Amino acid sequence: MALAHDTNIIADLARSKSRDQFAVPISLGVVSPLVAVFDLTWIVLLGVVAGTVYDLLFLGGGGGPERHLGPAIAVATLYSTFAHAAQLYRAQNLLRIRWQIGRSALIWLMVFVFLAALVFLLKIGAAFSRGGMLLFLAGGLLLTAAMRLGVARACALVISSGALKPNRVVLVGLPQELAANDALSSLKEYGYAVVGVFTLPVSQDGIASEDALKACMREVIRLVRETEVDEVIVAVPWSLSNVIFAVESELRVLPIPVSLVPDTIIGRVLDRPLYELGPTTAVQLQRAPLSAAQRNLKQAMDKLLAAVSLVLLAPFFAVIALAIRLESHGPAMFLQARVGFNGRPFRIYKFRTMSTMDDGPVIVQATRNDKRITQLGRLLRKLSIDEVPQLLNVLRGDMSLVGPRPHALAHDNEYDRLIATYAVRHKMKPGITGWAQVNGFRGETPEIGMMKQRVESDLWYIEYWSLWLDIRILLVTVVRVLKSRDAY
């Protein structure tokens, strides 16, 4: 029961003092509505200026600035509504520069998409200047990012200068939690001043003396009543429920908030997104690699390009198939079992390039100068033409144009035992080409390290997928993969 000064981090927190006597008696939370009003103002001004400039440049100055005031107010109102819903003006979020810029740009685009849909449904397009609105959209996209950067830096500067009265807090907890919690050590950066730190009399096995605990709480209550404290923050492992409830019971007499921060273990869990699950709230420990909208967008591009390509390449398919049948005995098309999305097996289509058609528990990878490869097959493999029939798999929904390359079942089972993250590749549909292939990780993998590099590339693709990344991979495939010396 005493003010804690026994660790360096706790001592640093305890040395945080209140602002000087000239500090304005408001907290950072009061800045939030000011920022919201500021956004409304510059958006309206930008809308009027963008419309007026467009009129002057392309319409000879027809009309006046007042005709653009209504659309500008509509955009500003929608932006403010969406921004409040997205917690853009929450005090703690004002200092998150990258988060602010990304979130505000997304909100800005959503506003214009929503407004365009509204204009279409209500048939009020005549009230809006399309050119002026496009200029408004482009200018606002740049300006909103600049404003978010300016607001974040201004708030940080105001806090560091002591111009605002900080939220004065008292920390109560176990020494190890107070020292290890990164959020507590950075409170000053977010406009908080720690005026006292109390360590709880709890032993290593989590047992607390009732009398000692009550004495410690009396010290906390005395400090709160003698000074202007805004909040008490409790840092106790959530597994020690008896200690938490005892602290809560003792501090119930105080007329200020008492908050329990996540411990070092729970904190890592609560960093994940929260969502409503029926009558409760759940933590999303793992998200799907693609949202429903992203899956539909990727699938639409896949099927459209696959269908068009199959129509255009049909004569080419017929010539290749005939050449294969004339060169060697056997079918022109080779089907082999592969593992696809979510670990589900499927049959992959390929032009036959070998004299054998292995599809059993043991499959030997093709090697350079492999005697099983036919003369025509060697050319088809070198140019990756043998993979083109997989457009049929894309059209069937088994595969995507871009994704982790599927391996034979025998290889899949082998590498699943050797590489811990191997099965994660199945979180997305396999592709005809992929990020690993355009980075040179294709062909034979005689060493386990080579397969690990391929898997790491596939996992990077899954983590950072975007439609533009798919388009980029498709374009690079033509240049890089078809020239690769690793295909044989």
Side-chain angles (χ1 to χ4, degrees):
M1 177 211 56
L3 282 172
H5 299 284
D6 51 346
T7 67
N8 291 335
I9 296 179
I10 297 177
D12 290 340
L13 292 173
R15 283 197 293 270
S16 178
K17 304 297 182 181
S18 59
R19 307 302 184 190
D20 58 39
Q21 58 182 341
F22 301 105
V24 180
I26 58 175
S27 65
L28 185 62
V30 182
V31 177
S32 297
L34 299 179
V35 175
V37 172
F38 173 70
D39 280 347
L40 286 171
T41 303
W42 73 257
I43 292 174
V44 171
L45 290 176
L46 178 63
V48 173
V49 170
T52 303
V53 169
Y54 179 81
D55 288 349
L56 290 174
L57 293 178
F58 299 100
L59 301 179
E66 62 276 1
R67 67 187 290 262
H68 303 291
L69 185 60
I73 292 176
V75 171
T77 303
L78 286 173
Y79 181 90
S80 181
T81 302
F82 291 164
H84 277 95
Q87 297 186 334
L88 196 68
Y89 301 122
R90 188 180 177 186
Q92 293 88 338
N93 290 337
L94 293 177
L95 299 170
R96 301 168 60 186
I97 297 179
R98 291 182 60 183
W99 184 90
Q100 281 273 324
I101 292 176
R103 187 62 60 92
S104 63
L106 179 61
I107 292 172
W108 187 258
L109 293 174
M110 288 174 57
V111 165
F112 279 84
V113 170
F114 181 84
L115 191 61
L118 195 64
V119 168
F120 173 77
L121 292 174
L122 299 180
K123 298 181 180 180
I124 54 174
F128 296 85
S129 168
R130 285 176 293 179
M133 292 302 289
L134 287 175
L135 188 60
F136 191 9
L137 168 62
L141 198 58
L142 297 175
L143 199 55
T144 187
M147 291 299 180
R148 299 274 69 79
L149 177 63
V151 166
R153 290 187 172 177
C155 288
L157 181 62
V158 168
I159 290 174
S160 61
S161 67
L164 296 180
K165 177 185 175 182
N167 289 313
R168 296 161 59 88
V169 299
V170 170
L171 303 183
V172 176
L174 271 61
Q176 61 269 28
E177 286 296 326
L178 293 171
N181 196 309
D182 294 334
L184 298 181
S185 62
S186 60
L187 284 176
K188 184 177 179 181
E189 300 174 10
Y190 288 85
Y192 292 86
V194 179
V195 298
V197 182
F198 292 81
T199 56
L200 295 172
V202 179
S203 62
Q204 293 291 334
D205 53 6
I207 299 175
S209 168
E210 184 176 351
D211 293 338
L213 187 63
K214 288 185 177 182
C216 182
M217 292 300 99
R218 284 197 296 270
E219 290 294 325
V220 175
I221 294 170
R222 182 185 61 81
L223 179 63
V224 170
R225 287 173 173 173
E226 292 178 355
T227 59
E228 295 181 3
V229 175
D230 300 303
E231 186 175 358
V232 175
I233 299 176
V234 180
V236 175
W238 286 22
S239 58
L240 302 181
S241 57
N242 59 324
V243 177
I244 294 173
F245 294 144
V247 170
E248 177 193 16
S249 177
E250 294 296 326
L251 298 182
R252 192 172 296 173
V253 298
L254 294 176
I256 61 173
V258 177
S259 304
L260 174 68
V261 295
D263 58 34
T264 51
I265 296 176
I266 299 298
R268 291 199 297 269
V269 175
L270 293 184
D271 281 341
R272 313 297 176 89
L274 301 177
Y275 71 101
E276 293 184 1
L277 181 65
T280 187
T281 300
V283 179
Q284 190 177 63
L285 297 179
Q286 175 180 289
R287 66 173 179 83
L290 302 181
S291 65
Q294 290 172 329
R295 286 196 304 271
N296 292 335
L297 182 62
K298 182 175 173 66
Q299 185 175 358
M301 185 184 78
D302 284 341
K303 295 202 170 184
L304 176 62
L305 293 180
V308 172
S309 299
L310 284 171
V311 171
L312 296 177
L313 295 175
F316 179 70
F317 271 36
V319 173
I320 295 293
L322 179 61
I324 293 173
R325 293 294 301 273
L326 292 175
E327 184 193 33
S328 60
H329 295 290
M333 203 74 73
F334 170 48
L335 275 71
Q336 190 180 61
R338 299 287 174 98
V339 177
F341 175 69
N342 202 20
R344 299 168 186 162
F346 71 99
R347 307 285 286 181
I348 194 172
Y349 292 93
K350 298 182 70 174
F351 281 127
R352 182 173 60 83
T353 59
M354 290 185 174
S355 56
T356 61
M357 295 186 292
D358 298 337
D359 191 19
V362 178
I363 297 178
V364 180
Q365 284 187 328
T367 59
R368 193 177 299 276
N369 302 319
D370 196 318
K371 295 182 179 180
R372 297 173 299 167
I373 302 177
T374 64
Q375 290 299 320
L376 177 60
R378 198 172 304 280
L379 176 63
L380 296 179
R381 294 173 73 92
K382 185 174 181 60
L383 299 177
S384 296
I385 295 176
D386 61 318
E387 311 285 0
V388 175
Q390 290 161 32
L391 291 169
L392 293 170
N393 290 110
V394 175
L395 206 59
R396 285 165 52 95
D398 299 326
M399 294 178 62
S400 175
L401 291 175
V402 181
R405 281 293 298 161
H407 300 142
L409 286 180
H411 299 151
D412 227 71
N413 295 332
E414 177 186 1
Y415 289 122
D416 195 18
R417 291 186 294 101
L418 299 175
I419 303 175
T421 57
Y422 183 84
V424 182
R425 302 169 72 253
H426 303 318
K427 291 173 67 172
M428 289 185 71
K429 285 185 180 180
I432 297 178
T433 184
W435 183 245
Q437 282 62 48
V438 299
N439 282 283
F441 304 125
R442 67 190 300 255
E444 186 184 6
T445 54
E447 299 177 2
I448 188 64
M450 299 174 68
M451 180 56 74
K452 286 182 178 179
Q453 289 179 313
R454 184 183 297 183
V455 171
E456 288 172 2
S457 295
D458 290 335
L459 299 188
W460 185 92
Y461 168 79
I462 293 172
E463 181 69 22
Y464 296 100
W465 178 88
S466 68
L467 190 63
W468 165 242
L469 180 60
D470 273 6
I471 295 172
R472 176 186 169 189
I473 291 173
L474 289 172
L475 294 176
V476 175
T477 294
V478 179
V479 178
R480 189 168 297 174
V481 175
L482 299 186
K483 289 185 178 180
S484 174
R485 298 180 181 179
D486 296 325
Y488 40 78

